[in-house]
Amino acid sequence: MAQTKFDRQVEETAESVAFGIVRFLAGRPMDGERKTDATFWRSGTRVLPKVEGRVSRSSYRAGWKRLTFRISSLAALGAGGYQAGWVHQDATVATAQQIWANPEPALAALEQTGMAAASTAAVTTAAYFALTRKRRELMREWVLPLHEALALPLRLPEQTDPRGYLHIPQGFSEDDAVIRVDVPGRLDFSKDLVVDIITTKLALEGVTFSWHLAGRETYVTVKKTRKPPARAAFTEPKVREIVAAAKESAPVIGIGSAGRIVTVDLDAESPHILVNASTGGGKSVTLRCIACQMLHHGSLVYVLDTKRISHPWAPGLTGVTYCRDIADIHDQLIALGQEGRRRTRVADELGIDADPKDIGPRLLILLEEVNATMKMLARYWEKTRESGDPKVSPAVDALNEILYMGRQLRMHVLLVAQSATARALGGPEVREQFSTRILARYSVNAWRMLAPEIHPAPKSTKHHGRAQVVSGGSARETQILFFTEAEAREWATTGTPAPPAVGAQTGPVPLQKPPADSLTDAWSPELPPATEPPADRDVLADAWSLTPTPAPAADPGGPTDHTPPPTAPGDDDQAVGLRQAAEHHLPGITLAALRFARANDPAFPTPAAKRGTELLYKARDLKKWARNRPRAPTGTTDLD
């Protein structure tokens, strides 16, 4: 029995020694307990489930690192033992006999050696603490607090060493720093919450998160976005070269991070652009940047500006129509809606193989301060509409038509708002037509409303000309190109005029009544039929002029280009209603404009008679009022 027990002990000992040799050579823990997910080639990042107690730092090392350390230690011990025991064996014996006979010198030497060793240890310890001070501060101030905040959302074991999964460099706030956080592969956590915690605990601003969740290694990297230039002035030679080389359909908006050029292709990416910014956010600068480039390439620009002074560089420029009064804006939108339907018919007749330029030059509509403009259009229509008229302003319907069909028709809306709510724009479906959105000095609510797919929201800045260009699910911090008033005017007038379209008429485009299925059937401004243009007028300009002909402010008796066709004797003495006057006596003045003037202009003629509930006026009085009524100056689309 004793022999059997002894044999068993021998076998167990031999087995333990064999397993110890295997663990030693495999780089595994010598106690045989695996506490982390470390393998032979890969370091560990997290503690294994059901592991209790403190986990040493060596448990996170890869197996090959442990094996290298063990073999190096054995080699050093073996070399030292061989040097001491075999090479100097005779000297060692003699020295031992001398020390035994006279121990005092040996003790003195030992004391000096001990002091030297203690001094070396002290210096080494001091050097270690000095060299690792910043690393320890990083662990204490940033890594450990972040670990404590992430442990619960990531459901990490209590024994997890933060150094195993939080790879944070000392200069993590620098521009070229990269932060890596290893996350569990089960992916049962909220990415938004993890992003918020990392951003908050490390006090990061202007960073991007890249998630790598496929395969065995799952982690997120955090990089700081390189800032755009502090200024992007058109006077700089490089900026001017960039603008000159831009495509006709893709005006340059600005310069992004790392010097990248930020553009929006109106044909391929986004037919319409929304600019949302608070006061002082650079809305006018952004519109000036885009509009002058479009004019340079021959586009026609329509500025609908209820503020009247947003773009002092634009009035009078070739290809620009500037509308300031709400009545003019109302009529111009209706005219543009009719032009859109005309282009639709032309495109249908030309077929799919036709050149898009054949339907007409590119049109850019600058709608300033949409929050105020939409309210003014609604009030204007309330004052001018009569019984049986639609409740919604036909100008708003025309704007919606343009937004829905602008890409194929080369008609683009550049809309400006302080708060681009769905209510201000006419509904959430209208806002979705703006796939490119430029936000500057925005609030958190504005960002969540216009770019909810991008999280976290980049911090708004008060840097002049700095904005976020949101397109295709990503946001690009951009320094908007800055054109001075003189530079914008000069660049807009040095380009190529718009080419004539196939089938363009000579003379003004007759804005006749649209088809019955039109949203603006009864409320379209009607102009006289096309006539032969004067000799000093350019045919192309008249062919694409969508500005309703203004009534002349000239001598009542003097002939002008806008003098109505002669009427039969006695027509001026007859009493007519406003609808009849707009259709037969006052070409160029819409029924809505007459109704608005009746309610607001004290110089409007007094009624001469009444037919039922309809007020009648002398045709002569209406013509006299039309000749002498004050008109706000508008621009021109003339190319002469």
Side-chain angles (χ1 to χ4, degrees), residues 544-601:
W544 296 110
S545 176
L546 301 180
T547 306
T549 307
D555 182 13
T560 67
D561 292 341
H562 306 289
T563 303
T567 56
D571 283 355
D572 288 351
D573 294 329
Q574 65 176 333
V576 296
L578 294 186
R579 186 182 297 275
Q580 183 180 359
E583 294 176 352
H584 302 290
H585 298 275
L586 301 176
I589 303 180
T590 64
L591 176 60
L594 287 175
R595 292 173 178 173
F596 184 79
R598 180 178 62 184
N600 297 276
D601 189 354

Side-chain angles (χ1 to χ4, degrees), residues 221-429:
T221 57
V222 187
K223 297 181 180 179
K224 197 165 187 179
T225 305
R226 294 179 61 184
K227 296 292 183 181
R231 179 178 171 84
F234 183 67
T235 54
E236 299 177 8
K238 291 184 178 180
V239 175
R240 195 178 184 96
E241 291 177 4
I242 292 172
V243 174
K247 293 170 54 179
E248 177 267 340
S249 63
V252 179
I253 297 177
I255 308 299
S257 60
R260 295 185 179 90
I261 303 172
V262 180
T263 63
V264 175
D265 196 321
L266 300 176
D267 289 338
E269 297 178 2
S270 173
H272 311 297
I273 301 175
L274 170 63
V275 180
N276 187 96
S278 59
T279 303
K283 298 186 292 292
S284 298
V285 172
T286 304
L287 267 64
R288 184 167 68 222
C289 164
I290 299 175
C292 73
Q293 294 182 68
M294 300 293 288
L295 287 167
H296 179 82
H297 289 289
S299 300
L300 303 180
V301 176
Y302 295 84
V303 184
L304 312 182
D305 180 20
T306 56
K307 291 173 61 177
R308 310 180 71 88
I309 57 173
S310 298
H311 302 280
W313 63 276
L317 278 181
T318 298
V320 174
T321 299
Y322 207 115
C323 300
R324 296 177 174 87
D325 293 334
I326 194 63
D328 296 333
I329 294 175
H330 180 274
D331 296 346
Q332 188 64 75
L333 284 174
I334 295 177
L336 288 167
Q338 288 184 280
E339 171 63 9
R341 291 187 292 276
R342 186 200 68 81
R343 292 190 174 203
T344 301
R345 293 192 294 271
V346 172
D348 184 40
E349 294 173 359
L350 293 176
I352 60 175
D353 296 330
D355 187 346
K357 296 181 180 179
D358 290 345
I359 66 173
R362 194 180 299 275
L363 304 183
L364 181 65
I365 305 167
L366 271 63
L367 186 55
E368 277 278 359
E369 299 297 345
V370 69
N371 297 88
T373 302
M374 299 298 278
K375 293 179 181 178
M376 295 173 68
L377 285 173
R379 288 196 298 266
Y380 174 81
W381 183 242
E382 288 177 359
K383 292 182 179 179
T384 57
R385 66 183 292 267
E386 294 183 349
S387 177
D389 295 344
K391 292 184 178 181
V392 179
S393 168
V396 177
D397 287 337
L399 175 61
N400 291 341
E401 285 187 37
I402 296 171
L403 290 174
Y404 289 130
M405 61 184 181
R407 184 193 300 272
Q408 293 82 2
L409 305 183
R410 292 163 57 84
M411 301 178 69
H412 312 285
V413 177
L414 188 53
L415 186 145
V416 180
Q418 288 192 356
S419 179
T421 61
R423 180 179 180 182
L425 300 182
E429 65 279 359

Side-chain angles (χ1 to χ4, degrees), residues 15-38:
E15 184 179 358
S16 300
V17 172
F19 279 118
I21 294 174
V22 172
R23 297 190 192 105
F24 181 90
L25 296 177
R28 298 178 182 176
M30 295 304 297
D31 59 0
E33 183 180 359
R34 187 165 173 257
K35 299 181 180 180
T36 67
D37 61 344

